[in-house]
Amino acid sequence: MDAIVPNKAATARSNGPYRQEVLSVKHWTEDLFSFTLNRPAGFRFRSGEFVMIGLEVNGKPLLRAYSVASPSWDEELEFFSIKVPNGPLTSRLQQITPGDEVLLSRKPTGTLVLDALLPGKRLFLFSTGTGFAPFASVIRDPETYEKFDQIIVTHTCRTVAELDYSRDMIRTIQEDEILSELTGDKLVYFASTTREEFSNMGRITTLLENGKLFSSLGIADLNPETDRAMICGSTVMISDTKDLLEIAGFTEGANNKPADYVIEKAFVG
Ligand code: A2P
């Protein structure tokens, strides 16, 4: 008899979030860390998408949106997070260590995907802070290099140490035999700081307006005919960068209506 009574708890669990093992954790600064999780069999996503992740707190799942920083082919799932002071999730999540369990929702989604952009020649990826995460995924996806001749990824942070995650990522790509063959000389990285001395300084909006982004990289100015863009950062950064793209003649795209650029807010708390 027991065998044919549906087990409600088991059914609910199978529709709820996955419970994935933490494989590694790296603390980059006092405010930033990244970690990897075991990828569930059958968990599929497009590079650039986000998913809900979190922890069980007082018996209930506490989940927040996080961009997947690893590419869609990777066996592990990587995430890049800030530590929000007194943040309900991040104050706990920053304490995870390998072997712990993290909750992962089943349905990745998002607009920072190649499908939401029309074909083009150059792809600009503009990020601030943890907004680099989805681009860490996109720049390691072979499809990006099949679709575009040049990929320019920018990362702006307040301090030099906050750039470490993206600088390390680019170095890893350059030193990896397979990834460096994939990117060839198509991948261009531009990092800048706003509150500490560094080789490039200034907000991305300023560097777009005064043309320094293009002159220092020796590339042509924005052109909506050939260029596509993705933006990921704080709400204000997105809105200001978006305004500049709109003035330059770019149209916002979506999954169901691909166009010239797409936006998504970086995870904040
Ligand atoms: P700034 O130091 O001039 O505020 P935050 O840590 O506040 O999210 O900021 C991350 C980076 O984004 C900082 O370098 C910050 O520059 C920059 N930033 C903040 N607001 C904007 C904006 N409206 N447009 C472009 N960049 C911005």
Side-chain angles (χ1 to χ4, degrees):
M1 246 340 247
D2 279 349
I4 55 162
V5 175
N7 180 336
K8 275 191 187 159
T11 311
R13 226 176 291 131
S14 69
N15 292 324
Y18 295 104
R19 292 166 177 276
Q20 293 311 116
E21 189 190 347
V22 176
L23 300 174
S24 64
V25 183
K26 181 157 182 177
H27 293 267
W28 297 88
T29 66
E30 278 185 6
D31 304 316
L32 294 168
F33 70 112
S34 63
F35 55 95
T36 59
L37 301 181
N38 204 353
R39 181 172 177 169
F43 180 84
R44 300 175 79 86
F45 67 99
R46 294 176 296 172
S47 296
E49 285 189 317
F50 69 86
V51 71
M52 305 298 287
I53 60 172
L55 296 169
E56 203 167 271
V57 178
N58 301 327
K60 287 188 195 150
L62 177 63
L63 302 166
R64 294 283 185 271
Y66 271 89
S67 292
V68 184
S70 42
S72 56
W73 51 261
D74 208 331
E75 284 170 15
E76 296 179 1
L77 297 173
E78 180 181 346
F79 301 94
F80 181 41
S81 179
I82 50 171
K83 307 173 189 176
V84 182
N86 305 315
L89 179 62
T90 60
S91 58
R92 294 177 170 95
L93 198 60
Q94 64 177 284
Q95 288 165 21
I96 54 169
T97 54
D100 288 351
E101 261 185 5
V102 165
L103 304 177
L104 170 80
S105 73
R106 285 168 188 267
K107 287 224 164 77
T109 180
T111 50
L112 300 180
V113 290
L114 295 172
D115 291 346
L117 294 175
L118 292 169
K121 287 190 165 43
R122 299 192 301 181
L123 175 63
F124 283 87
L125 305 169
F126 299 115
S127 71
T128 55
T130 55
F132 180 78
F135 303 151
S137 176
V138 172
I139 62 172
R140 288 184 284 170
D141 191 325
E143 201 187 335
T144 307
Y145 300 88
E146 283 160 22
K147 290 195 165 169
F148 291 93
D149 298 339
Q150 192 173 43
I151 294 89
I152 301 111
V153 59
T154 80
H155 190 205
T156 305
C157 293
R158 296 178 182 199
T159 66
V160 180
E162 288 168 348
L163 290 171
D164 280 355
Y165 178 78
S166 66
R167 296 171 86 190
D168 190 75
M169 177 71 56
I170 300 295
R171 205 175 308 121
T172 305
I173 292 173
Q174 287 166 345
E175 286 169 4
D176 185 283
E177 208 176 316
I178 297 169
L179 286 174
S180 61
E181 189 157 328
L182 173 73
T183 62
D185 51 13
K186 287 183 166 186
L187 180 63
V188 177
Y189 171 66
F190 182 92
S192 71
T193 56
T194 49
R195 304 197 191 185
E196 192 184 354
E197 204 61 39
F198 187 59
S199 47
N200 299 310
M201 292 193 66
R203 288 184 169 194
I204 192 61
T205 41
T206 311
L207 300 168
L208 281 168
E209 275 179 306
N210 65 19
K212 277 198 179 153
L213 174 70
F214 309 106
S215 58
S216 57
L217 291 175
I219 59 172
D221 283 4
L222 282 181
N223 176 357
E225 301 276 306
T226 53
D227 299 340
R228 303 293 169 253
M230 297 185 180
I231 312 171
C232 191
S234 64
T235 311
V236 205
M237 176 273 187
I238 291 174
S239 129
D240 290 354
T241 313
K242 182 183 155 111
D243 286 350
L244 294 176
L245 291 185
E246 293 275 345
I247 291 166
F250 286 67
T251 306
E252 186 172 354
N255 271 289
N256 58 3
K257 197 172 178 294
D260 308 326
Y261 77 93
V262 281
I263 62 169
E264 206 147 75
K265 200 161 161 287
F267 171 77
V268 285

